[in-house]
Amino acid sequence: MDRGDTVADMPAETASETVSVTGWGRTAPTSARVIRPRTYPEAVAAVRDCGARGGIPRGLGRAYGDAAQNAGGTVIDVTGLDRIHVVDADAGVVLCDAGVSLHRLMEVLLPLGWFVPVTPGTRYVTVGGAIAADIHGKNHHVSGSFARHVTAFELLTADGTVRTVRQGSPLFDATAGGMGLTGIVLTATVRLQPVETSLMSVDTERAADLDDLMARLTAGDHRYRYSVAWIDLLARGAATGRAVLTRGDHAPLDALPARARRSPLSFRPSRLPAPPAFLPDGLLTRTGVGLFNELWYRRAPRARTGELQRLSAFFHPLDGVPHWNRVYGRGGFVQYQFVVGHGQEDALRRIVQRVSARRCPSFLAVLKRFGEADPGWLSFPRPGWTLALDIPAGLPGLGGFLDELDEEVAAAGGRVYLAKDSRLRPDLLAAMYPRLDDFRALRAELDPRGVFVSDLARRLNFQEPA
């Protein structure tokens, strides 16, 4: 299987073969037997047939690291469970299978005046994956993470039992952000966001440096549902941390020109040709990325308000380029994302300065503010600042450099995002996630034989506490 592909791309007849499986960053492929159940009884049978190396559920393969891999074991591809059962268009609630993608929900719900409550930078994420990673988006400061909008789900546990799990229960909080290690989400009930149109009203402005950016975010984020800043991590000196800040909300009907009001809820994402299967290594040089960053910053308006943009352009620009992860070459890339709390702005400044001084060629770097923490024991967001950046995996000395950043993040009371991680040291996990022992204890009680396991779980030692 091509390392740029996902398991979900495989034809049905090969879905039980042993294949190479990797995350979206394509950094650490491992081989596993892949089973794709299409009914709930088949899912139960797949769990019982995992074998000695256990199994892990997998959706559309957009976790960047090794969270949905299981070397020598079984991967249970849930994308065959893809039915939308009930849409309550009056109450704004949907009941669907875990294998349904956010893209599919948008296709169905937008014409009815509803939108998903939270979306990350890609709509090609399953509902089950959204719960397992407790995904967040540009609206966390207002809406929290995805699991906050899930009222209940059905969970297939290691003993073959299907349990109804409701919000507020320990099993709910362990599963939200639990990276698939408590079981397989089969169905979920999700509350939706009402919208009048499928367009966004967007304000854009430039920030001269990191302090200017943080001041603008702090002063103005409360006026917007969605907020994100692209940050230039190659800029140095007085321009360190310069950024383009983009904020917006769903456009009301009366903001649309007359011609657009005829079909205000249409959803037509654009797509560009896919890049070649492999691009030459070393294509993303510091010089090339530096030039891109300079042009991107300069072409952004100093201040522009009320621009109408498609949902896909505002939320998911990279989804328009199939297999965009190939641009990093055969070696793949690391996406590094961390959060530090309010009051730890100096730690954020130090990290940005270190990345800038290290000259990491990252053109996909974003800074956001998180709101209130979510109840998931391993949920990533907490109130504060989160920075995400892509770095070519072959950059010399990258592993040691990121280890140093991990230590700085942990010392500041922060954490890294497990859904994007592929190289965190296990000794830092407990410092970053204080409810880790609770998670381990519940998992040991629920799954004493270790049926659900992944490469991430082995690497970070997710076993029962001593």
Side-chain angles (χ1 to χ4, degrees):
M1 186 168 100
D2 184 272
R3 288 180 60 190
D5 294 337
T6 66
V7 174
D9 294 322
M10 294 190 305
E13 63 267 23
T14 65
S16 62
E17 292 183 0
T18 298
V19 297
S20 177
V21 182
T22 187
W24 191 245
R26 300 167 50 239
T27 53
T30 53
S31 294
R33 182 176 62 122
V34 177
I35 303 174
R36 182 187 287 150
R38 297 190 180 277
T39 65
Y40 304 148
E42 287 181 6
V44 173
V47 170
R48 290 175 174 164
D49 189 34
C50 279
R53 291 282 288 180
I56 191 70
R58 181 182 175 98
L60 288 169
R62 293 305 177 102
Y64 284 77
D66 53 3
Q69 297 174 217
N70 183 22
T74 300
V75 169
I76 303 171
D77 176 358
V78 304
T79 58
L81 305 174
D82 58 357
R83 290 170 296 172
I84 297 176
H85 296 281
V86 178
V87 177
D88 187 333
D90 294 323
V93 174
V94 62
L95 169 63
C96 64
D97 283 349
V100 173
S101 70
L102 299 192
H103 174 83
R104 179 61 181 151
L105 286 182
M106 292 176 197
E107 288 183 322
V108 171
L109 298 172
L110 271 169
L112 304 176
W114 296 98
F115 189 61
V116 295
V118 172
T119 177
T122 175
R123 61 186 178 272
Y124 296 111
V125 175
T126 62
V127 169
I131 295 169
D134 200 11
I135 60 170
H136 58 271
K138 298 177 175 69
N139 60 340
H140 190 275
H141 64 292
V142 173
S143 302
S145 61
F146 191 86
R148 187 181 298 185
H149 306 273
V150 176
T151 59
F153 53 77
E154 290 182 307
L155 185 72
L156 171 59
T157 52
D159 60 359
T161 300
V162 177
R163 306 170 188 236
T164 299
V165 184
R166 303 194 183 279
Q167 195 175 69
S169 66
L171 185 52
F172 188 104
D173 293 344
T175 302
M179 306 312 300
L181 296 172
T182 61
I184 300 176
V185 176
L186 296 178
T187 69
T189 303
V190 185
R191 294 190 300 265
L192 305 169
Q193 169 68 34
V195 296
E196 295 182 15
T197 75
S198 61
L199 295 175
M200 302 295 296
S201 177
V202 181
D203 294 352
T204 304
E205 57 190 295
R206 290 197 317 219
D209 56 36
L210 182 60
D211 284 339
D212 182 28
L213 173 60
M214 289 194 291
R216 290 171 186 260
L217 287 165
T218 301
D221 264 7
H222 66 280
R223 298 195 299 268
Y224 300 89
R225 179 173 294 275
Y226 302 98
S227 175
V228 66
W230 169 87
I231 184 170
D232 183 359
L233 292 177
L234 283 175
R236 292 187 289 183
T240 299
R242 67 180 180 178
V244 178
L245 174 57
T246 306
R247 296 183 285 199
D249 209 332
H250 298 280
L253 184 61
D254 59 15
L256 271 58
R259 67 181 184 279
R261 295 184 195 179
R262 292 194 291 267
S263 54
L265 291 166
S266 62
F267 181 54
R268 303 187 191 95
S270 58
R271 286 176 72 84
L272 298 173
F278 292 111
L279 293 177
D281 291 332
L283 185 65
L284 297 180
T285 64
R286 292 183 179 94
T287 300
V289 174
L291 178 60
F292 171 87
N293 287 2
E294 180 71 25
L295 293 173
W296 190 261
Y297 180 78
R298 295 297 176 189
R299 72 182 292 271
R302 292 186 181 275
R304 180 175 60 201
T305 61
E307 180 189 15
L308 293 178
Q309 293 184 8
R310 290 184 178 184
L311 285 168
S312 56
F314 182 78
F315 289 109
H316 316 118
L318 288 175
D319 280 349
V321 184
H323 300 296
W324 64 262
N325 56 341
R326 292 174 177 169
V327 303
Y328 291 89
R330 294 179 181 272
F333 68 101
V334 173
Q335 177 151 122
Y336 185 70
Q337 183 170 4
F338 68 90
V339 59
V340 293
H342 295 302
Q344 294 295 332
E345 286 77 11
D346 283 346
L348 176 62
R349 291 186 186 96
R350 286 193 300 270
I351 292 172
V352 169
Q353 289 167 354
R354 292 184 67 176
V355 173
S356 178
R358 185 72 167 66
R359 308 293 289 157
C360 293
S362 177
F363 68 91
L364 293 174
V366 296
L367 182 72
K368 298 191 292 280
R369 290 173 74 243
F370 279 158
E372 182 180 350
D374 298 288
W377 293 347
L378 297 184
S379 290
F380 169 66
R382 52 160 296 177
W385 304 91
T386 180
L387 177 66
L389 58 148
D390 291 352
I391 310 172
L395 192 69
L398 180 62
F401 177 67
L402 293 181
D403 284 346
E404 294 172 3
L405 296 191
D406 289 341
E407 292 170 1
E408 178 121 27
V409 168
R415 58 184 63 141
V416 301
Y417 192 15
L418 296 180
K420 296 183 177 180
D421 177 58
S422 59
R423 26 77 39 212
L424 179 68
R425 296 200 320 261
D427 58 289
L428 291 176
L429 186 64
M432 293 181 172
Y433 289 90
R435 299 296 301 271
L436 178 63
D437 277 350
D438 293 329
F439 178 83
R440 284 170 165 164
L442 182 145
R443 183 168 174 260
E445 179 181 349
L446 191 68
D447 184 7
R449 295 185 295 113
V451 171
F452 291 106
V453 65
S454 65
D455 292 349
L456 177 142
R458 291 190 183 94
R459 174 170 56 83
L460 293 179
N461 200 19
F462 274 94
Q463 81 272 13
E464 184 180 2

